[in-house]
Amino acid sequence: MTTNETTGSPARLDYARTVPKVFRAMIALDAAAREGLDPVLVELVQMRTSQLNKCAYCLDMHTKDARKAGESDERIYLLPVWPEAPAGVYGERERAALALAEAIARVGDGVTDAVYARAAEHFAEAELAQLISVCFTINAWNRLNVATRNLPGAA
């Protein structure tokens, strides 16, 4: 069992080892959800969702992946406050995706017609379905890693 150096809390279990069939299905779902979408957009959505869900493991992993995909430090740093970021930092398509991702992460509040319509303006139907898939997949990963107390830096 691994211990979180910051909190002193032990990781709870090795999910991939304990239920490999479920873990492989999650990996396949994640890969299918990303198909046809811009990798940088996917990483932005995954980072923002992980911030909202307080998943340090996923935030660490997707920040590193975003940098590898060419994402700038400025856009990563401003992501928690993306609606207030200066014009031009995030494009309208990215802003629509981030608004949708936040609404899906905050499932208790629902996805308003305005948020959905904004996303539908910027994404073709198939792309929108893929984006929604990325959103629910990262939410599932976040919940899995928070529940099992998976540690940042292990990715």
Side-chain angles (χ1 to χ4, degrees), residues 25-89:
M26 284 286 294
I27 295 287
L29 176 62
D30 187 74
R34 295 166 176 260
E35 286 182 13
L37 292 176
D38 173 20
V40 172
L41 177 72
V42 169
E43 296 305 336
L44 285 173
V45 164
Q46 291 179 322
M47 285 187 296
R48 183 61 186 137
T49 301
S50 298
Q51 290 168 347
L52 295 172
N53 290 330
K54 299 179 182 178
C55 182
Y57 178 86
C58 289
L59 182 57
D60 178 63
M61 178 174 60
H62 292 294
T63 300
K64 290 172 183 172
D65 290 347
R67 283 194 171 107
K68 288 177 191 168
E71 190 55 86
S72 72
D73 286 345
E74 177 187 31
R75 287 167 39 102
I76 291 170
Y77 299 151
L78 289 174
L79 190 57
V81 293
W82 67 267
E84 290 80 29
V89 173

